[in-house]
Amino acid sequence: MAADPTSTSRLLVGHQQDRFNDGGARGLVGVISSDAGSSWTNSIPTGVTKCTGGAFRRASDPWVDFAQDGTAFFMSLVLDPMKPTTPFGARNSGMLVSRSVDHGASWQAPVTLVRTNSPHALNDKNSLTADPTANGYVYAVWDQLSVFPPSQAGDQLIAGNDGVEIARQLRTAAAGGAPSFKFNFTGPSFFSRSINNGVTWSTAVPIYQPGTNAQTIDNIVRVLPDGTLRDFFTAIGVTASGLSIGYITSTDKGASWSAPTFANDISVVRVVTPDTGQPIRDASILYSVAVNPVTGAIYLAWQDDRFSTATCTTPTGSIPIDGIVFSESDNGGATWSAPVMINKTPANATNPCRQQAFIPAVVASGDGNTVVVTYYDFRNDTNTPAGFEGTDYFALFCPTSSACTSSANWGNEQRLTTASFNILNAPVAGDHFLGDYMGLTASGPTTVYPVFGVATGLNVTSEFTRQISGLP
């Protein structure tokens, strides 16, 4: 989700439509509101997948943003599904950026940033950032998984077109688990930029190489108030912990990049449904990051089980309980506060699995006075009737006049769902799937808008928003 800097009432959302269970969707949809979210109209970029006049059979990972002058951008991961004999991913994948000069009402033909026609590579997990300090500069980042040497048919068992699910399997092997493949892999961070508001783009290049049998995922560029760029990512198989949030820095608008710095480790297993123990496609190898537009403080929120004091019993054993943790840097990322668990999910002695919280998003208000984090949990689940595993979405707030590095200063929690929904109805795409991340954006000084998925019927997820205004 993105808010137009030229009009605080104009919002743009990107989502998938007709998701396949093995990765990608039939198409991506833009939805625009010009009245602060009261009404919405489809605004679908053309030339992306075959159903919109494009060349590719599937698309995924929509990402939207606005430049300071109101130019809108819509980034799409495109792919043709894999053949059974390919090592992983797509035999044809790429990254496209669509541009709108009428604030998202209509879209120009997309520009191709990268196209890889290979059974041994997959471009994945993209994001796009329009520079809030320099109109015209736009940054696109993603990871590119590749195999070396190219494996032969039958050399592997990893399958699918979904980079997150592939990364989970590769992470298990990198952590010492039994690999189901015989090849080596790597997943560097790739980068392309525009200096003319998306009319043309630079040649895509790797900006961070994690090494053999290691990768990045969830690359996101954030811009500090002084114009410095930070490309954040999850590093898999790079640090001793095996799973860390890192970043690289550019002080020249992406022309060159520093060596990596690692901000925090991630300690996580995975969330399951609270009564039947079915696995959920959560954010357990991902994170959310935001920059305070006034102070430059950087905020990280992610799923983590390091504070677990109880266990969730599943049909296959017990697992620790995930919460939402937060860490902050007040010096541009040089040092970070110790992680603290901030979600307010109550303890549940009857069923500790109902204490799990997952898929966080974080943003700072436009005036810099409030940090907002959103997340799901199961506190209202009663398994009544049997087979209804109740799930809700919440927002939590911390005034920056207090220390957000203390969990006690997070409060004023708001329930964003009007009624609990059944997580078992969520479509299965590598487990029950609401989305890898949820939208959360600031518009104006004291208003934020979340976008969150709700399972509204069997195998149907709908997206909802509601205005959160009057922040302290």
Side-chain angles (χ1 to χ4, degrees):
M1 190 182 206
D4 189 342
T6 69
S7 173
T8 57
S9 62
R10 184 176 294 115
L11 305 166
L12 174 63
V13 170
H15 68 85
Q16 300 184 43
Q17 180 64 45
D18 298 334
R19 171 85 181 190
F20 291 89
N21 62 6
D22 63 346
R26 196 174 299 277
L28 303 181
V29 175
V31 192
I32 194 83
S33 174
S34 298
D35 54 10
S38 294
S39 62
W40 295 85
T41 303
N42 280 345
S43 178
I44 301 174
T46 58
V48 178
T49 58
K50 289 183 178 295
C51 68
T52 60
F56 289 83
R57 290 166 60 189
R58 299 186 188 181
S60 188
D61 292 40
W63 202 281
V64 296
D65 207 358
F66 282 100
Q68 290 303 291
D69 66 357
T71 302
F73 305 96
F74 194 117
M75 189 175 184
S76 307
L77 184 167
V78 288
L79 59 99
D80 289 328
M82 65 173 289
K83 296 178 180 178
T85 56
T86 57
F88 56 71
R91 66 181 185 273
N92 188 12
S93 67
M95 295 292 172
L96 308 181
V97 175
S98 304
R99 177 176 184 264
S100 171
V101 295
D102 54 11
H103 306 274
S106 63
W107 299 92
Q108 298 174 353
V111 175
T112 301
L113 305 188
V114 67
R115 181 167 181 171
T116 307
N117 192 5
S118 167
H120 308 292
L122 173 66
N123 296 287
D124 184 57
K125 214 68 189 153
N126 51 289
S127 70
L128 179 146
T129 303
D131 194 321
T133 69
N135 189 66
Y137 283 82
V138 191
Y139 314 109
V141 283
W142 63 95
D143 68 270
Q144 186 182 88
L145 284 167
S146 61
V147 169
F148 62 95
S151 63
Q152 303 301 311
D155 277 357
Q156 53 75 44
L157 296 175
I158 289 179
N161 311 284
D162 190 320
V164 170
E165 287 304 302
I166 292 167
R168 292 186 196 277
Q169 296 181 58
L170 296 179
R171 177 202 171 201
T172 299
S180 58
F181 49 84
K182 300 178 182 179
F183 53 76
N184 293 314
F185 69 91
T186 191
S189 303
F190 265 70
F191 174 82
S192 178
R193 73 171 182 177
S194 174
I195 60 174
N196 53 17
N197 258 350
V199 177
T200 58
W201 290 81
S202 65
T203 300
V205 295
I207 55 174
Y208 170 56
Q209 298 276 8
T212 301
N213 294 337
Q215 72 162 102
T216 69
I217 197 168
D218 199 18
N219 284 267
I220 301 173
V221 168
R222 289 290 181 249
V223 185
L224 303 187
D226 67 0
T228 300
L229 310 187
R230 300 272 195 266
D231 174 40
F232 287 85
F233 50 79
T234 300
I236 300 176
V238 177
T239 64
S241 72
L243 195 62
S244 299
I245 303 169
Y247 68 85
I248 55 177
T249 299
S250 176
T251 57
D252 52 16
K253 299 299 184 186
S256 61
W257 294 87
S258 72
T261 297
F262 295 97
N264 280 284
D265 293 335
I266 300 175
S267 176
V268 73
V269 179
R270 205 166 185 176
V271 168
V272 298
T273 62
D275 299 304
T276 57
Q278 299 179 42
I280 292 174
R281 167 93 173 241
D282 57 13
S284 58
I285 62 172
L286 309 175
Y287 64 90
S288 182
V289 61
V291 170
N292 189 304
V294 177
T295 68
I298 309 171
Y299 309 118
L300 285 171
W302 70 96
Q303 236 175 273
D304 202 287
D305 61 28
R306 72 185 67 193
F307 297 104
S308 178
T309 58
T311 57
C312 170
T313 301
T314 77
T316 58
S318 294
I319 58 173
I321 293 170
D322 281 4
I324 306 302
V325 301
F326 175 87
S327 179
E328 175 180 337
S329 175
D330 295 324
N331 53 15
T335 59
W336 292 84
S337 64
V340 293
M341 189 172 77
I342 62 171
N343 59 294
K344 302 303 180 183
T345 313
N348 191 311
T350 302
N351 184 351
C353 298
R354 293 172 184 159
Q355 297 172 208
Q356 300 171 102
F358 57 105
I359 313 183
V362 62
V363 75
S365 60
D367 62 9
N369 291 337
T370 308
V371 187
V372 184
V373 170
T374 55
Y375 57 91
Y376 293 93
D377 74 22
F378 303 116
R379 72 182 69 181
N380 295 319
D381 175 56
T382 61
N383 198 29
T384 304
F388 188 99
E389 304 201 28
T391 311
D392 284 285
Y393 200 59
F394 297 89
L396 192 62
F397 308 90
C398 177
T400 56
S401 58
S402 65
C404 296
T405 55
S406 171
S407 59
N409 292 324
W410 289 84
N412 297 316
E413 188 181 50
Q414 294 184 23
R415 181 184 181 186
L416 300 179
T417 42
T418 55
S420 300
F421 66 92
N422 188 1
I423 191 66
L424 298 182
N425 281 338
V428 174
D431 306 324
H432 291 291
F433 185 49
L434 298 168
D436 286 331
Y437 33 68
M438 301 297 147
L440 185 62
T441 193
S443 182
T446 61
T447 300
V448 299
Y449 294 90
V451 171
F452 51 97
V454 170
T456 53
L458 183 61
N459 293 323
V460 177
T461 296
S462 301
E463 278 73 50
F464 289 83
T465 188
R466 64 193 316 160
Q467 184 187 89
I468 304 172
S469 58
L471 300 177

